[in-house]
Amino acid sequence: MKTLVAALALTLAAMTQPAAAQETSQPQRWTLVIHGGAGTIDRNRITPEQDSAIRAALDAALAEGSRILAAGGSAMDAVEATVRILEDDPHFNAGRGAVFTWDGTVELDAAIMDGSTRGAGAVARLSTTRHPISAARAVMTDSPHVLLTGTEADGFAAERGLEQVPNSWFHTPERRRQLDELRARQSADAGASWFDVDLKYGTVGAVALDASGHLAAATSTGGLTGKRWGRIGDAPLIGAGTYADDRACAVSATGSGEYFIRVGVAAEICARARLAGTPLQEAADAVMADVHALGGSGGVIVAGPDGEALFSFTTPGMYRGRANSAGLREVAIYGDE
Amino acid sequence: MKTLVAALALTLAAMTQPAAAQETSQPQRWTLVIHGGAGTIDRNRITPEQDSAIRAALDAALAEGSRILAAGGSAMDAVEATVRILEDDPHFNAGRGAVFTWDGTVELDAAIMDGSTRGAGAVARLSTTRHPISAARAVMTDSPHVLLTGTEADGFAAERGLEQVPNSWFHTPERRRQLDELRARQSADAGASWFDVDLKYGTVGAVALDASGHLAAATSTGGLTGKRWGRIGDAPLIGAGTYADDRACAVSATGSGEYFIRVGVAAEICARARLAGTPLQEAADAVMADVHALGGSGGVIVAGPDGEALFSFTTPGMYRGRANSAGLREVAIYGDE
């Protein structure tokens, strides 16, 4: 009945109202998908308290992004705001709570991409900018470049008025413990795998479709515990960990970044949809299978131009959530949820 | 007549020789394509002496890569050796003769990718490693990472025994003049385009198909004159400026890197061939047209699994060359050659 009334109202509006008014009277369709990292996440490793806190953190981020999208805000604004909340939350490996480098500091990477223009901005190896995702957006809007790095990129962010904090602001005891553990293992066994640390991931990301039909993607991370030699992973690399294209999809990835770079995961999922017409879930699953075949693991979140909101991951769990204009609102951690 | 004799010899060999001997008696098919940058290169801007010197430099690089491939060497060895020669040559914006950053130093980026494994290595913001392309290969073979950056990456290269030089080793008066000119223009007009400097490019690259049917790609660059804030362009980004996949093609790009990152040029050309069956020339031209539509310019070199060796560029000229096992050996500079 409601639908009939709405349809009638629209028909009447079409006869009597100017175009702009018509548009605002139509339902605002939007979609938001977020992640807080994929990894060896199972019920034996997470206490009930951690479980609750992580779900609450994911839901808070989802709430903020949903609020923006429901009000007709842009996908770019929604993914940036969502990621900022996750960056501030010490549960995730991004911003505050990021993992330590081999040298005991924190170095932050982030990227954002606007599917309507394929404009993109990214930063890597930041050490004092509180919200790397906002620095990435400033690179996109206020510089002729896509990727800025190092203390110089912090300087760029500071010039644009983005909040600077001491590196210690990002530090947490849990991440320090993980570094100490890694170092001990490496001392005991020089051949120990770099990719074999519990809860090694925790990258955060968001993808969205807004009411205007535009897609956006954002990813932020501290990278890999014990990273050294100025290592940069997939998160800030456009096409690898982050991609958005209104013609195809928006993707944010998390996992063993080196494999994601080699496969070009985020762009490849979009390319399969755009060039081969592959449905997004099938495309995401196939690309994650390719990563797995090379030896990597992790997951992706994907939003599509028709409101698709999906996950694909090869790990036991992925911190994740999604919401849309039809009333969906859910968070999950384990693979069997 | 020669062909007939050869065909007869092969037929006889097939009847009388074991399989291994047959293989070695077959002609070793290989392909090599190189570039030394694309840009506003036309006959009014280049003296006859420069023209000759650049052609000789391209031919010398082509000769070395051809020698390796003709002897049955790998595509990876061929592209690395070819790029090392171009890095040492001051005519090109890579290694010695690289452009200056805004701060008056040289920072070098490079990437290499093996199409047979999709293994990849890359470096960015090196300042003391003489051959960045060899550092990129060391990242691929001797680290668990794909992309290492900064002085830490120089340290990694030095640990692997790669030659270190003072930053001044890379400096040339001509590049210093280009920086001074850019600074003067920026002072006069703060809104002057970053992408509007004569001969701004000069990135070098090589792609090859070897006798075993494997593809490889390599790219090395000093980036953009006057780059700052730790800017990294497309060259060292796997999928943007460099990609190789035996199933599709090997690509090295040069041009206004930011646009190449947003389009994911190198991986996109391979994706069109692999996912849509698009012929490589058509795929390369379409992707360069996409870059142009976004506002960018430049060029790519492409090698394919069937021995394809092609160029596509939207600039007036591109320093380039190609050679193959059928006896092709040519270098060119201008668009009308």
Side-chain angles (χ1 to χ4, degrees):
Chain A
M1 182 61 191
K2 257 187 184 166
T3 312
L4 182 63
V5 171
L8 190 63
L10 270 173
T11 308
L12 286 170
M15 290 188 292
T16 57
Q17 302 288 315
Q22 273 182 51
E23 278 177 20
T24 55
S25 69
Q26 283 177 18
Q28 305 258 317
R29 192 178 62 164
W30 55 265
T31 290
L32 176 66
V33 194
I34 67 171
H35 71 80
T40 50
I41 300 165
D42 65 43
R43 290 183 177 79
N44 296 328
R45 294 166 189 261
I46 296 179
T47 65
E49 293 72 29
Q50 287 173 322
D51 182 296
S52 301
I54 289 165
R55 285 176 200 269
L58 291 168
D59 191 64
L62 214 45
E64 175 64 4
S66 298
R67 188 187 62 74
I68 291 169
L69 291 165
S74 72
M76 285 291 286
D77 286 345
V79 297
E80 182 188 359
T82 304
V83 166
R84 283 172 65 101
I85 289 176
L86 296 168
E87 285 176 338
D88 276 347
D89 194 300
H91 289 97
F92 307 104
N93 176 17
R96 193 160 188 224
V99 300
F100 283 81
T101 66
W102 188 258
D103 296 327
T105 62
V106 162
E107 291 188 351
L108 303 164
D109 305 340
I112 194 165
M113 187 160 183
D114 180 344
S116 66
T117 59
R118 281 181 286 161
V123 287
R125 307 190 63 191
L126 294 185
S127 52
T128 58
T129 302
R130 177 171 171 181
H131 294 113
I133 198 64
S134 295
R137 190 165 185 186
V139 171
M140 176 183 142
T141 54
D142 297 348
S143 91
H145 302 309
V146 169
L147 175 56
L148 301 183
T149 64
T151 53
E152 297 90 339
D154 283 309
F156 173 84
E159 279 175 37
R160 269 77 200 159
L162 296 182
E163 185 181 351
Q164 302 294 301
V165 293
N167 195 256
S168 59
W169 191 87
F170 301 111
H171 299 187
T172 59
E174 171 64 8
R175 297 303 190 184
R176 172 69 71 180
R177 188 195 61 72
Q178 288 173 355
L179 175 63
D180 292 344
E181 207 172 274
L182 174 77
R183 282 174 155 174
R185 287 172 62 163
Q186 291 271 323
S187 306
D189 173 11
S193 169
W194 284 83
F195 296 125
D196 189 27
V197 182
D198 291 345
L199 289 172
K200 51 193 170 301
Y201 311 131
T203 295
V204 309
V207 295
L209 172 73
D210 65 28
S212 304
H214 298 309
L215 292 164
T219 311
S220 184
T221 189
L224 203 61
T225 298
K227 65 184 181 181
R228 52 177 152 175
W229 305 307
R231 179 259 189 188
I232 295 176
D234 64 317
L237 303 188
I238 300 303
T242 306
Y243 206 73
D245 179 349
D246 277 2
R247 301 170 300 175
C249 63
V251 180
S252 171
T254 171
S256 44
E258 277 70 9
Y259 297 93
F260 285 65
I261 296 172
R262 292 164 55 195
V263 171
V265 164
E268 173 69 13
I269 292 170
C270 293
R272 288 185 187 220
R274 177 168 43 83
L275 298 171
T278 310
L280 288 176
Q281 185 72 57
E282 191 183 318
D285 292 347
V287 174
M288 289 311 302
D290 190 17
V291 167
H292 181 74
L294 288 179
S297 65
V300 290
I301 55 173
V302 184
D306 295 323
E308 300 94 327
L310 55 97
F311 315 103
S312 182
F313 52 101
T314 60
T315 44
M318 178 161 81
Y319 301 136
R320 61 200 188 276
R322 56 185 169 183
N324 67 25
S325 49
L328 175 71
R329 168 98 165 251
E330 60 180 22
V331 298
I333 295 182
Y334 311 108
D336 56 10
E337 295 185 75
Chain B
M1 181 64 190
K2 258 188 183 167
T3 311
L4 181 64
V5 171
L8 189 65
L10 271 173
T11 308
L12 286 170
M15 289 189 292
T16 57
Q17 303 287 317
Q22 273 181 50
E23 279 177 20
T24 54
S25 70
Q26 283 177 18
Q28 304 257 315
R29 192 177 62 165
W30 55 265
T31 290
L32 176 66
V33 194
I34 67 172
H35 71 81
T40 50
I41 299 165
D42 64 44
R43 289 183 178 81
N44 296 328
R45 294 166 189 259
I46 295 180
T47 65
E49 293 71 30
Q50 286 173 323
D51 183 296
S52 299
I54 287 165
R55 286 177 200 269
L58 290 168
D59 192 65
L62 215 45
E64 175 63 5
S66 298
R67 189 188 62 72
I68 291 168
L69 291 165
S74 72
M76 286 291 285
D77 286 346
V79 297
E80 182 189 358
T82 304
V83 167
R84 284 172 65 102
I85 289 176
L86 296 168
E87 286 176 337
D88 276 347
D89 194 301
H91 288 97
F92 307 104
N93 175 17
R96 195 163 185 221
V99 299
F100 283 81
T101 66
W102 188 257
D103 296 327
T105 62
V106 162
E107 292 189 350
L108 303 164
D109 305 341
I112 193 165
M113 187 160 184
D114 181 344
S116 66
T117 59
R118 281 181 283 162
V123 287
R125 306 191 64 191
L126 294 185
S127 52
T128 58
T129 302
R130 177 171 171 180
H131 293 113
I133 197 64
S134 295
R137 191 164 184 186
V139 171
M140 176 183 144
T141 54
D142 297 348
S143 91
H145 303 309
V146 169
L147 175 56
L148 301 183
T149 65
T151 53
E152 298 89 339
D154 282 310
F156 173 84
E159 279 176 36
R160 269 74 198 163
L162 295 182
E163 185 180 350
Q164 301 296 300
V165 293
N167 195 258
S168 60
W169 191 88
F170 301 111
H171 299 187
T172 59
E174 171 63 9
R175 297 303 190 185
R176 172 68 71 179
R177 187 194 61 72
Q178 289 174 354
L179 175 63
D180 293 342
E181 207 172 274
L182 174 78
R183 283 174 156 174
R185 288 172 59 163
Q186 292 271 323
S187 306
D189 174 11
S193 169
W194 284 84
F195 297 125
D196 189 28
V197 183
D198 292 345
L199 291 171
K200 52 194 169 300
Y201 311 132
T203 295
V204 307
V207 294
L209 172 74
D210 64 27
S212 305
H214 298 310
L215 291 163
T219 312
S220 184
T221 189
L224 203 61
T225 298
K227 65 184 180 181
R228 51 178 152 177
W229 306 306
R231 179 260 189 188
I232 296 177
D234 64 316
L237 303 189
I238 299 302
T242 307
Y243 206 73
D245 179 349
D246 277 3
R247 301 170 299 175
C249 63
V251 180
S252 171
T254 172
S256 43
E258 277 69 9
Y259 298 94
F260 284 65
I261 296 172
R262 292 164 55 195
V263 171
V265 165
E268 173 69 13
I269 293 170
C270 293
R272 289 185 185 219
R274 177 168 44 82
L275 297 171
T278 309
L280 288 176
Q281 185 73 56
E282 192 184 316
D285 292 347
V287 174
M288 289 310 303
D290 191 17
V291 167
H292 181 73
L294 288 179
S297 65
V300 290
I301 54 173
V302 184
D306 295 324
E308 299 94 329
L310 56 96
F311 314 103
S312 183
F313 52 100
T314 61
T315 44
M318 180 161 78
Y319 301 137
R320 60 201 190 276
R322 56 184 168 182
N324 68 23
S325 50
L328 175 71
R329 168 97 166 253
E330 60 180 22
V331 298
I333 295 181
Y334 310 108
D336 56 8
E337 297 186 72

